[in-house]
Amino acid sequence: MSKDVIIIGAGVSGVTTALTLQCLGYDTEIIAKHTYDDLPDAGSLPEFASLFPAASIIPHSAHTDQLQAIFSSSQALFFNLRKQAFPGITFHEHYEVFEYEVDPPSYLDQMLNVQFMDELDPDSVPRRLQSPKLYGWSFDGLFADWPNYFTALNNRYTQHGGTITQQKLSTDDISQLPAPIIINCSGTGSDTLFKDPVDEPKVSRGHILHKAGTPLIKNSEDQVVSYNYTPQASLYSDLEGQPCDVYCYPRKDGWVLGGSRQIGRLHEQRWPPFGDDETYQIDGCSVPAQIIDLNHQILTHTYNKELANPDELTAQIGYRYIRNKNNGLRLEKEEKEGKMIIHNYGHGGAGVTLSWGCALAVAQKIARQEIPELKSALLQEL
Ligand SMILES: Cc1cc2nc3c(=O)[nH]c(=O)nc-3n(C[C@H](O)[C@H](O)[C@H](O)COP(=O)(O)OP(=O)(O)OC[C@H]3O[C@@H](n4cnc5c(N)ncnc54)[C@H](O)[C@@H]3O)c2cc1C
């Protein structure tokens, strides 16, 4: 049956875009090789990034010159959903801590209740026993409790009349799809399906660990606390000697821990080793030891909570599609074989963060209305 719009991909970009268009009155269908129902096979699907996000609403590792505008409209939508008690959207007191001096990122202007290190109570700041002088800031940040949020997002789409069809598409199928408008949210699949115009597109491979059944970590005001902590490069760094961060985001079903960012080419399965080769073997993955050891030190020393036994952790690996570091996000329209194709991929480490902003930008390209108008129409329907 023909549709107004077909969306390729059932990750966070595809489902958010499809839900947005469906709420704005378009008859849509998602076609995807894999859907959220494939979660039990997540360990064997590193290319399906939406099975893996941590999922903070912070524009980490996103490369686009439209970042401020997209993040701003995305975050505004998340705030509104939070007000409407959409499942899985929470607020954290989030810390970004460094063992060396750094410039604050420009997105900090858009965060609530920002406090710099010298304004913070030192006892509340994530630290390890031998932390040197610390730098950084905290803010009240949005967080998507992934199993709850992504399930609700998928359900909301089908409740609004959207359909999801599981099918692997090839390039030749595109012209036959029964809709005049195709939205490409196929993530790392984009290069095969549409021939990505970027030379040698890159992915950032990341380890993500889960410790089930652990309590939420809270501050004295009963607010959930999360952190990214970057030690000196001598403790944890990539092959080029750049310091790497570790993180902990408490979720209802336990703690999500990371991180690593191994940059490699999409079609070559070769990953640079870590600066320090020491690893733990968990679920068949070689996990950089520092993710566990540093998080353990921080959790013990700051929150009196133990990570301790690697056997109690599960580990997965996912790919963040960064394409290139100059302008990785591809959010643009092209005409192909009589169809309007709109690309929405290359979100790097911030696909969740940017999901609503990108969905609204796609809707704008179709509806030719301004974002605030589209946003209020969307919120009325959601
Ligand atoms: C370890 C890790 C931690 C992360 N943490 C965060 C975080 O804290 N915050 C955040 O904002 N982001 C985070 N991200 C990034 C985020 O997960 C991604 O940016 C996001 O999930 C990308 O979603 P997507 O829908 O664009 O692509 P994907 O989720 O990769 O979905 C692609 C879809 O396209 C389909 N597809 C591909 N090829 C075909 C084909 N030929 N035919 C049909 N369908 C096809 C796939 O089956 C899938 O359904 C993290 C990523 C990783 C790996």
Side-chain angles (χ1 to χ4, degrees):
M1 208 176 42
S2 71
K3 296 280 173 185
D4 297 332
V5 185
I6 286 177
I7 296 94
I8 306 175
V12 67
S13 309
V15 181
T16 310
T17 305
L19 175 58
T20 298
L21 295 174
Q22 190 74 24
C23 286
L24 293 173
Y26 297 89
D27 184 20
T28 69
E29 178 181 3
I30 292 175
I31 301 180
K33 181 165 63 168
H34 294 291
T35 70
Y36 195 54
D37 292 341
D38 291 307
L39 189 61
D41 302 321
S44 60
L45 296 172
E47 71 282 3
F48 187 2
S50 297
L51 300 180
F52 305 97
S56 61
I57 314 294
I58 306 171
H60 286 148
S61 310
H63 309 285
T64 166
D65 50 18
Q66 306 168 65
L67 190 67
Q68 294 285 71
I70 295 173
F71 177 51
S72 166
S73 66
S74 211
Q75 186 173 237
L77 219 298
F78 274 111
F79 276 130
N80 279 289
L81 290 180
R82 159 109 180 128
K83 270 196 220 147
Q84 295 178 8
F86 192 94
I89 303 178
T90 59
F91 253 122
H92 283 187
E93 181 184 40
H94 181 72
Y95 288 86
E96 306 246 314
V97 180
F98 303 82
E99 290 188 357
Y100 53 93
E101 241 171 305
V102 294
D103 290 332
S106 49
Y107 67 74
L108 217 51
D109 293 350
Q110 299 184 53
M111 297 307 197
L112 292 180
N113 196 18
V114 175
Q115 287 183 284
F116 287 93
M117 195 56 77
D118 53 8
E119 303 165 277
L120 291 166
D121 168 5
D123 287 342
S124 70
V125 175
R127 66 204 179 284
R128 54 193 181 90
L129 184 59
Q130 280 137 356
S131 283
K133 182 170 165 48
L134 296 173
Y135 303 85
W137 48 83
S138 73
F139 51 79
D140 289 344
L142 286 159
F143 178 77
D145 192 306
W146 200 241
N148 292 326
Y149 176 75
F150 201 41
T151 306
L153 194 74
N154 275 272
N155 290 343
R156 198 62 68 97
Y157 175 59
T158 47
Q159 282 156 11
H160 278 275
T163 44
I164 304 180
T165 305
Q166 199 149 9
Q167 184 190 346
K168 179 181 177 182
L169 296 171
S170 68
T171 309
D172 293 343
D173 294 324
I174 306 294
S175 63
Q176 307 304 317
L177 291 174
I181 304 174
I182 309 295
I183 318 291
N184 171 29
C185 297
S186 66
T188 52
S190 299
D191 193 37
T192 315
L193 273 178
F194 291 94
K195 187 84 194 91
D196 196 322
V198 155
D199 276 344
E200 300 179 342
K202 300 210 173 34
V203 294
S204 163
R205 183 180 187 255
H207 296 75
I208 195 146
L209 309 179
H210 185 233
K211 179 163 179 164
T214 43
L216 291 169
I217 300 170
K218 293 195 172 174
N219 64 16
S220 54
E221 280 145 37
D222 207 33
Q223 194 181 9
V224 178
V225 178
S226 57
Y227 63 79
N228 283 67
Y229 185 102
T230 313
Q232 289 157 345
S234 56
L235 272 185
Y236 184 35
S237 62
D238 63 19
L239 201 61
E240 275 136 32
Q242 291 303 315
C244 297
D245 62 313
V246 297
Y247 58 77
C248 176
Y249 295 98
R251 267 189 344 207
K252 275 204 177 127
D253 67 348
W255 299 338
V256 178
L257 305 141
S260 61
R261 294 164 212 277
Q262 291 172 286
I263 310 294
R265 290 190 189 151
L266 180 57
H267 301 295
E268 293 173 10
Q269 291 291 310
R270 281 192 288 135
W271 311 104
F274 308 102
D276 175 345
D277 269 337
E278 210 187 317
T279 56
Y280 291 110
Q281 292 302 312
I282 304 176
D283 297 335
C285 300
S286 294
V287 177
Q290 295 296 22
I291 296 180
I292 295 172
D293 295 347
L294 281 170
N295 272 310
H296 175 64
Q297 289 175 33
I298 296 164
L299 288 163
T300 311
H301 191 58
T302 319
Y303 304 109
N304 204 14
K305 304 211 183 293
E306 297 219 336
L307 188 57
N309 188 353
D311 292 345
E312 292 171 7
L313 299 168
T314 54
Q316 287 169 331
I317 288 176
Y319 301 154
R320 310 169 182 97
Y321 195 19
I322 53 175
R323 298 178 71 229
N324 72 52
K325 281 198 170 176
N326 295 330
N327 202 5
L329 176 66
R330 188 170 186 210
L331 197 53
E332 63 189 21
K333 184 159 93 170
E334 63 173 338
E335 294 287 328
K336 237 181 178 174
E337 300 181 50
K339 292 192 190 296
M340 180 197 288
I341 314 280
I342 302 178
H343 299 283
N344 177 12
Y345 68 93
H347 310 88
V352 181
T353 304
L354 303 179
S355 55
W356 288 104
C358 289
L360 284 165
V362 168
Q364 188 184 32
K365 290 183 194 306
I366 298 172
R368 295 173 193 275
Q369 282 171 278
E370 293 306 314
I371 297 278
E373 234 179 299
L374 292 167
K375 198 179 99 191
S376 62
L378 170 61
L379 283 167
Q380 272 172 26
E381 289 300 319
L382 266 173

